[in-house]
Amino acid sequence: MNSFYLIGIKGTGMAALASILKDMGYEVTGSDVSFPYFTTQKLLDKNIPIFTFSVENIKDNKIYIASSVYNEDNIEVSEVKKRNLPFFYYHDFLEYFFKNKIGIAGSHGKTTTTSLTSHFFQKEKICSLVGDGTGFGRNDYDYFIFEACEYKDHFLKYTFDTLVINNIDFDHPDYFQNINSVINSFKMASERAKWIIVNFDDPNTKEIIHPNILTFGLNEGALIHGRIVNKYDNGYELEVKIKNNKYQYFLPFLGKYMIYNFLAALSVCYLYGLDLNLIQEYLFTYKRPSRRMQEYMYYDNIVIDDYAHHPKEIKECLLEIKQKYPNKELIVIFQPHTYSRTLVLENEFKDVFKNVNLYLANTFTSSRETYNKELEKKVFQIFENAKPFKEKDIKNFKKLNNKVFLFLGAGNINRYIKKLIGM
């Protein structure tokens, strides 16, 4: 039996992959930095041991898989390569190991769309890799449903049976020069797919041309055409027309972006011949991925943990909260994710946080970007109306009533939620 060792196992994709391999019966261990991340508990729940980086962890009888953020500067990657042991980077391993790949791509909504699609395929034989660290697998799987990220063109490592493109937006300015370079990468990814499923309403997907294309959207012209019949304070009544057939669904979540995530997942079901009449039942049992509008109660306050870190994602998140809790004051505790994104999208960040009661934490730093005092200063100048967030603010938050506290960002800002609500 193969034994796998994952270097950087707490990463969201890596943690999910570890869980899949564990479910398939393989021995799985891994290593990472010592501080806990929100994926840590998922790994412990699967009884997957986690070590801190050390040369002593490297043995001759394992297959090594490394997160793409680690190169030979990492002591374990360096040791594995020096000893010429079996080694893959994460994206190369997914391409090598899995068959019948259904990739979920897009600048926003990948994780939710992947989890929705996997949930809708629950009666099928699947392996599923979701970008919140959730993974499950089986040896006799028919389809591998996974999140395919565009960062550093990682999704160009894959060949797809089907590729979903939920939207295209300018992000990752540390790698992409402009929106045209992002669009070009999605074009190249689509050329690696037998079928593509594309958001008809997104203006930046118009350049994606493919002989086997299926479109979804709220505008006339989409093959899978959704129409909002009614909007409620807890969801949407939606009519979906596919050719000559009509389906009625109640979506028990808010935010227009969630409608697009749903239509994307529904499109995959349609392409693969699933019974679309069963989808409503699955919608009622669906739970959002970790750190996607994850709610807690604290007396009459609502505490929300959300992973949004791009201005467009944040805008949709704020709209959803205001729609759901119109009578509660919103307090946002935001942790920027990467200096490059925050500084390049300065105007967009200013606009989205205009008139918001904002507390600003230090930028999340990782192996991608280390702490930089001068850049941190520039970031705080962008959010000139924000109050610097300090841990002592939690004591003051505890005294407030009828608020929504939104802990926002792709880093580790959510660790303060436990301190607020006493978990």
Side-chain angles (χ1 to χ4, degrees), residues 138-162:
R138 51 192 294 170
N139 287 307
D140 62 343
Y141 72 97
D142 292 324
Y143 310 111
F144 174 51
I145 301 170
F146 73 112
E147 188 168 325
C149 183
E150 75 279 10
Y151 181 54
K152 291 189 175 180
D153 284 332
H154 287 148
F155 61 177
L156 299 185
K157 297 280 188 179
Y158 309 132
T159 52
F160 306 93
D161 277 37
T162 299

Side-chain angles (χ1 to χ4, degrees), residues 20 64 74-75 115 135 175 185 210 223 271 338 365 400 403:
I20 293 171
Y64 292 89
N74 176 275
I75 56 174
S115 70
Y175 180 75
S185 287
H210 195 280
L223 176 64
L271 182 62
T338 75
T365 54
L400 301 178
K403 310 296 183 189

Side-chain angles (χ1 to χ4, degrees), residues 172-401:
H172 306 298
D174 58 324
Y175 180 75
F176 293 110
Q177 295 179 342
N178 49 47
I179 184 60
N180 290 329
S181 62
V182 181
I183 293 171
N184 189 56
S185 287
F186 276 91
K187 282 183 179 178
M188 289 190 289
S190 70
E191 293 169 0
R192 301 177 64 81
K194 296 176 184 176
W195 275 90
I196 63 170
I197 296 172
V198 174
N199 184 343
F200 183 80
D201 299 352
D202 189 289
N204 292 325
T205 67
K206 301 302 182 186
E207 296 187 40
I208 306 295
I209 299 172
H210 195 280
N212 300 312
I213 186 169
L214 189 156
T215 59
F216 65 90
L218 294 173
N219 293 329
E220 292 283 352
L223 176 64
I224 296 180
H225 175 228
R227 182 174 68 87
I228 300 172
V229 178
N230 283 302
K231 182 171 72 173
Y232 304 98
D233 59 3
N234 64 337
Y236 298 92
E237 182 183 347
L238 196 70
E239 178 187 84
V240 179
K241 184 178 179 181
I242 307 176
K243 295 184 177 179
N244 295 322
N245 297 313
K246 290 184 179 180
Y247 303 87
Q248 299 290 136
Y249 299 106
F250 177 74
L251 276 56
F253 30 69
L254 299 170
K256 194 174 180 181
Y257 69 102
M258 284 298 296
I259 298 177
Y260 283 112
N261 293 339
F262 165 72
L263 290 174
L266 187 72
S267 300
V268 180
C269 298
Y270 169 74
L271 182 62
Y272 283 81
L274 274 61
D275 187 351
L276 303 188
N277 294 304
L278 296 177
I279 299 301
Q280 183 63 70
E281 175 187 339
Y282 298 155
L283 280 168
F284 286 135
T285 58
Y286 173 68
K287 294 182 179 179
R288 286 188 179 187
S290 300
R291 302 205 58 212
R292 271 67 178 182
M293 290 298 292
Q294 197 165 347
E295 296 191 10
Y296 306 90
M297 292 289 296
Y298 181 70
Y299 296 100
D300 63 343
N301 299 303
I302 305 295
V303 182
I304 298 176
D305 179 11
D306 197 88
Y307 195 76
H309 49 281
H310 186 282
K312 187 169 286 187
E313 297 167 349
I314 294 168
K315 179 181 178 181
E316 295 295 340
C317 179
L318 298 181
L319 286 172
E320 179 176 350
I321 292 170
K322 290 174 183 176
Q323 183 179 347
K324 190 172 183 180
Y325 300 108
N327 299 317
K328 290 183 182 290
E329 180 190 357
L330 174 63
I331 296 174
V332 177
I333 304 93
F334 176 56
Q335 181 185 45
H337 187 260
T338 75
Y339 298 119
S340 56
R341 175 187 288 114
T342 311
L343 295 171
V344 170
L345 300 179
E346 172 183 351
N347 292 331
E348 289 85 347
F349 276 110
K350 282 183 177 179
D351 185 63
V352 78
F353 284 124
K354 186 170 55 181
N355 302 320
V356 171
N357 188 354
L358 180 66
Y359 287 77
L360 188 68
N362 286 336
T363 303
F364 179 72
T365 54
S366 63
S367 54
R368 186 187 297 190
E369 283 185 345
T370 56
Y371 177 78
N372 184 302
K373 185 177 181 180
E374 290 304 312
L375 292 179
E376 194 69 51
K377 189 175 180 180
K378 288 183 179 180
V379 167
F380 269 81
Q381 288 171 348
I382 292 173
F383 306 95
E384 55 188 10
N385 295 324
K387 296 173 277 292
F389 173 71
K390 306 295 181 184
E391 189 170 346
K392 64 182 181 181
D393 290 320
I394 297 295
K395 291 183 179 179
N396 295 326
F397 292 163
K398 286 177 174 286
K399 301 174 185 177
L400 301 178
N401 299 105

